[in-house]
Amino acid sequence: MMLVLGLLKEQTGIIVLSAACGIVAMDFSQEFGNSGKMQDYYYTGPVQHHFSPYTDNGGTVLAVAGEDFSIVASDTRLSEYYSIHSRDSPKCYKLTPSTVIACAGFHGDCLTLTKIIEARLQLYKHSNNKTMTTGAIAAMLSTILYGRRFFPYYVYNIIGGLDEEGRGAIYSFDPVGSYQRDAYKAAGSASAMLQPLLDNQIGFKNMEGVQHVPLTLDKAIQLVKDVFISATERDICTGDGLRICIVTKEGIKEDTLPLRKD
Amino acid sequence: MALASVLRSDYTDSVNKLSRFDNGPEKIEVRAALGEDLGFAVNASFKLSDEGIKKKMEFHHGTTTLAFKFKHGDEHGVIVAVDSRATAGSYIASQTVKKVIEINPYLLGTMAGGAADCSFWERNLARHCRIYELRNKERISVAAASKLLANMVYQYKGMGLSMGTMVCGWDKRGPGLYYVDSDGSRVCGDRFSVGSGSLYAYSVLDSGLKDDMTVEEACELGRRAIYQATYRDAYSGGQVNLYHVHSKGWTRISQEDVLMLHQQYKEKAEQG
């Protein structure tokens, strides 16, 4: 007579005794469900832990250029995965009286990059006795970013300001320095939600029979506020507050708007 | 490496001053660019897919560009036609990118592959061409310019640069057209198409080319080839930018939205 006792892995409620004489196994799992079951344990081998120098701190930035003004806006939430580090961390940085830069992505790289840009601006001012123009800052930022081609700054930049003729100019960048002048651009976590809306409302794309009205400052500010309110509804990394920098020939004015904190 | 020295030569003073600002690691930018003693230096593909970080950095890729030589009697020329879409993964980052870089009034470079790689190295090429002109008191030849570019990027072979460009221009020998890429190729030829949509552009280009073509016919062929490529390739679109290179330099012929071209060609097909 042979007695075999086995504990079936998946069903702790069962003890199977099978012997030559034959004893029926009792199955408890169907009555109690899977709640009592024991997890499988598999040996996976040694796990290598990776250190990543980057993280994504979320946030969205946006810039719009008008006839004689530029608007640069950013939300003020600083997040990491599902936590919020700060509700008051704006992503716009004033560079000169006619240029503002907005940086979204990895906050550490944003801080270092803006520090480097500010230092280079001062060096330029001391050696050339003039303030850098918006276009020159854009070209310089492109080479600064490309200098780290093989270990990039994880930052999506947008520069907004006035060009030498006083017209609104914005320049958008990718993390390694490719840039171009635009009329409007959104970057950051909710950029894919904002950009199509801007394409339609400012660029009049995909609309037929519409008169192309030039954008006024008030309409642009209202549009930016509405657009961020919409982004906050649907993007977890965007919210808490909105900081708008309005660049005109009089200088840079700041406006804030509270956004949803959830 | 060349990248660090290229950037350094532009602001030698500033870099030295910068390194004194920080008192810490000297020349941060240089070291980072070299990638040494950084255990976590990023590899060529930039896919930083570590646990938890779902977002990876995306750069602008995907395009259709073409250039071909043509002649009309004794007159020769080069037509350069490009689309204007830049994509970052599956997101269209921009529909209005300038993919033809005006190196100088008689040299053009096209952009395909990594947008930053192309624009940086071709801007650097413009600098070298200008230095050549100042030193030698004559314009640089297309062969020499393309060789300079090829040698510049060859130093970075294997490090992940992505650039497929055509250097087009006019010099003492007539029209010049070279294809240069980041793998180290440099080829002289009569017609090239580069990018994800190049296959579609080639088919239209090859079937439409004739021995003797007027400028208008050649322009229309280039335009049609890019349009067909944008029709079938998801990574190409936006506008068709057309340039004509002749003995006096280059001229910008037209910039047309692909949507307009689509309607135009449809009307023409329905009529004829």
Side-chain angles (χ1 to χ4, degrees):
Chain A
M1 205 151 103
M2 282 243 304
L3 223 112
V4 177
L5 205 125
L7 188 72
L8 276 175
K9 279 198 220 153
E10 251 102 83
Q11 291 129 354
T12 39
I14 308 168
I15 297 174
V16 175
L17 294 157
S18 79
C21 43
I23 294 175
V24 174
M26 289 188 289
D27 191 346
F28 290 120
S29 65
Q30 278 152 2
E31 287 172 52
F32 295 111
N34 285 329
S35 50
K37 81 177 194 181
M38 192 172 83
Q39 296 290 356
D40 286 348
Y41 176 72
Y42 296 106
Y43 179 63
T44 48
V47 177
Q48 185 176 40
H49 289 278
H50 254 86
F51 168 70
S52 170
Y54 298 110
T55 179
D56 185 7
N57 292 114
T60 307
V61 298
L62 159 56
V64 176
E67 186 56 47
D68 57 353
F69 65 89
S70 264
I71 297 178
V72 182
S74 76
D75 72 325
T76 58
R77 174 176 287 181
L78 192 75
S79 52
E80 186 167 345
Y81 306 129
Y82 291 110
S83 306
I84 295 177
H85 285 312
S86 166
R87 293 195 192 275
D88 186 21
S89 167
K91 295 162 191 66
C92 310
Y93 303 91
K94 190 175 98 101
L95 296 176
T96 73
S98 63
T99 319
V100 177
I101 188 171
C103 313
F106 170 43
H107 194 64
D109 276 346
C110 293
L111 293 174
T112 307
L113 188 62
T114 46
K115 216 178 274 190
I116 290 177
I117 296 171
E118 279 159 12
R120 288 286 295 272
L121 282 174
Q122 286 202 22
L123 291 166
Y124 181 96
K125 186 149 195 193
H126 288 131
S127 38
N128 299 87
N129 200 24
K130 67 186 265 252
T131 327
M132 272 187 103
T133 59
T134 307
I137 298 177
M140 178 184 76
L141 179 57
S142 173
T143 47
I144 292 175
L145 291 171
Y146 199 82
R148 291 269 298 251
R149 170 66 173 78
F150 301 111
F151 180 22
Y153 289 108
Y154 182 6
V155 194
Y156 292 89
N157 293 290
I158 305 185
I159 289 181
L162 299 174
D163 67 8
E164 283 127 315
E165 285 145 36
R167 282 199 282 267
I170 67 161
Y171 294 89
S172 61
F173 293 77
D174 83 340
V176 273
S178 159
Y179 78 107
Q180 62 165 35
R181 185 169 172 175
D182 288 311
Y184 51 86
K185 190 77 178 182
S189 54
S191 59
M193 287 182 221
L194 298 184
Q195 189 67 33
L197 181 53
L198 296 176
D199 281 334
N200 183 264
Q201 291 297 307
I202 304 178
F204 302 107
K205 298 271 169 73
N206 299 307
M207 291 216 280
E208 285 194 36
V210 173
Q211 208 187 7
H212 287 20
V213 182
L215 199 62
T216 59
L217 178 60
D218 294 318
K219 185 157 184 284
I221 295 174
Q222 197 48 53
L223 188 66
V224 167
K225 289 181 177 171
D226 289 339
V227 138
F228 263 94
I229 290 169
S230 308
T232 308
E233 293 290 319
R234 291 290 183 174
D235 179 32
I236 57 171
C237 299
T238 305
D240 291 330
L242 172 64
R243 172 76 66 93
I244 306 181
C245 296
I246 303 156
V247 187
T248 50
K249 64 178 191 298
E250 277 95 44
I252 299 181
K253 239 181 359 163
E254 277 181 11
D255 195 5
T256 50
L257 176 76
L259 293 174
R260 282 181 73 137
K261 295 181 176 5
D262 61 355
Chain B
M1 279 230 120
L3 184 61
S5 61
V6 160
L7 294 165
R8 204 176 356 188
S9 65
D10 293 342
Y11 61 102
T12 338
D13 292 334
S14 10
V15 148
N16 293 333
K17 283 171 193 162
L18 262 179
S19 53
R20 268 184 251 128
F21 275 13
D22 340 274
N23 293 327
E26 0 122 85
K27 302 189 175 74
I28 311 166
E29 285 143 353
V30 174
R31 233 216 263 154
L34 293 174
E36 336 174 280
D37 56 48
L38 291 170
F40 41 80
V42 180
N43 75 0
S45 55
F46 295 111
K47 284 188 180 51
L48 305 155
S49 47
D50 293 306
E51 50 270 5
I53 300 184
K54 287 167 189 66
K55 182 170 182 162
K56 68 175 199 293
M57 255 191 283
E58 287 165 337
F59 309 103
H60 303 169
H61 284 78
T63 186
T64 310
T65 60
L66 65 83
F68 62 93
K69 291 185 194 167
F70 70 99
K71 69 176 191 291
H72 181 55
D74 282 330
E75 282 175 41
H76 293 255
V78 188
I79 293 288
V80 182
V82 299
D83 76 318
S84 69
R85 177 175 288 187
T87 51
S90 64
Y91 179 66
I92 296 175
S94 173
Q95 292 268 60
T96 52
V97 178
K98 286 196 67 194
K99 294 192 188 178
V100 175
I101 290 150
E102 296 153 7
I103 297 170
N104 61 40
Y106 56 94
L107 264 184
L108 291 174
T110 61
M111 206 204 277
D117 291 334
C118 291
S119 55
F120 181 85
W121 290 110
E122 289 186 19
R123 194 164 164 226
N124 203 20
L125 176 63
R127 197 177 68 115
H128 281 275
C129 291
R130 180 69 185 129
I131 292 174
Y132 179 99
E133 263 182 44
L134 289 167
R135 286 185 177 146
N136 302 87
K137 281 195 178 169
E138 71 167 14
R139 285 175 174 179
I140 191 170
S141 64
V142 184
S146 58
K147 192 88 180 223
L148 279 174
L149 183 63
N151 290 340
M152 274 191 261
V153 293
Y154 184 72
Q155 292 182 296
Y156 294 89
K157 189 173 159 73
M159 292 179 74
L161 289 188
S162 163
M163 184 190 83
T165 178
M166 293 178 290
V167 181
C168 329
W170 192 280
D171 57 25
K172 287 189 290 206
R173 284 185 243 153
L177 177 57
Y178 283 82
Y179 166 72
V180 176
D181 81 12
S182 48
D183 296 328
S185 315
R186 173 179 166 267
V187 194
C188 179
D190 285 340
R191 71 187 97 140
F192 292 109
S193 176
V194 183
S196 55
S198 62
L199 272 63
Y200 308 107
Y202 266 132
S203 51
V204 177
L205 192 60
D206 290 336
S207 54
L209 263 176
K210 293 187 291 215
D211 273 337
D212 196 282
M213 292 175 83
T214 62
V215 178
E216 289 77 33
E217 283 174 349
C219 289
E220 187 49 39
L221 181 64
R223 202 176 287 131
R224 190 68 194 249
I226 296 285
Y227 161 74
Q228 294 296 151
T230 60
Y231 190 73
R232 281 291 178 180
D233 178 31
Y235 288 93
S236 305
Q239 293 136 7
V240 180
N241 283 312
L242 204 66
Y243 286 74
H244 172 219
V245 184
H246 46 79
S247 53
K248 301 202 178 41
W250 55 259
T251 328
R252 184 135 182 242
I253 305 278
S254 65
Q255 179 190 56
E256 269 143 355
D257 195 302
V258 160
L259 191 62
M260 298 297 147
L261 283 177
H262 180 76
Q263 282 166 355
Q264 259 176 40
Y265 291 134
K266 198 160 142 211
E267 277 164 24
K268 231 194 296 180
E270 276 163 14
Q271 278 168 7

